[in-house]
Amino acid sequence: MTEPDARITLDLDDPTPAFEQIRRQIVGHIAAGRLPIGAKLPALRQLARDLGVAVGTAAHAYRELEQAGVITTRRGAGTRVAAVPDVEDALVMDDRILGLAADYLAAASDVGATSEAALNAVIRLIQGRSQALDGKSN
């Protein structure tokens, strides 16, 4: 990152997937002005190495940010901040995700699963997707 205050760290005790922790922190740094438009982000391999995650995990975060129009990647120019994210939209998205999570937990409970079993199923699914992405990016 170009700014020392714009460091990304992973909380291993947080059940949030690593790619989502990365995405949220980048959005937060941009929204707070620590990463202005045009600021260069680390290359995928460098970010993955710095955080101790697979390249596919870092790529997943960058892909979501690109789809949202927050960053752009160009060969030779690297990955740069393209726009300040709409934090209100991000909050609405978080609320929608929380609602979906509540629905999922209720459905899991209806079939007799514990909250822990439901969470473990989601984690296995995410890990399976991350492994599939790693196979595509390597």
Side-chain angles (χ1 to χ4, degrees):
M1 301 279 177
T2 57
E3 299 292 324
D5 292 342
R7 294 180 58 99
I8 295 175
T9 59
L10 294 180
D11 180 354
L12 301 178
D13 293 327
D14 185 342
T16 305
F19 79 88
E20 179 61 16
Q21 289 185 49
I22 294 166
R23 186 199 67 78
R24 282 186 186 172
Q25 288 179 56
I26 291 173
V27 165
H29 291 319
I30 295 168
R34 290 184 293 271
L35 286 173
I37 292 176
K40 189 170 183 179
L41 299 176
L44 286 175
R45 292 185 194 288
Q46 183 63 50
L47 180 62
R49 189 172 26 255
D50 291 349
L51 296 175
V53 298
V55 173
T57 300
H60 190 168
Y62 275 20
R63 193 169 35 257
E64 288 199 3
L65 291 166
E66 281 188 282
Q67 289 172 352
V70 175
I71 64 172
T72 58
T73 301
R74 289 194 173 56
R75 187 175 297 273
T79 302
R80 296 186 179 271
V81 175
V84 176
D86 186 333
V87 176
E88 187 173 319
D89 282 350
L91 293 174
V92 168
M93 177 66 78
D94 283 347
D95 286 345
R96 288 181 61 202
I97 291 170
L98 283 173
L100 291 168
D103 292 345
Y104 169 68
L105 284 176
S109 177
D110 288 347
V111 297
T114 65
S115 294
E116 183 178 346
L119 176 60
N120 287 335
V122 171
I123 290 169
R124 285 193 313 273
L125 178 64
I126 291 168
Q127 289 170 337
R129 286 184 176 182
S130 293
Q131 289 170 355
L133 289 172
D134 288 347
K136 290 179 185 177
S137 64
N138 289 337

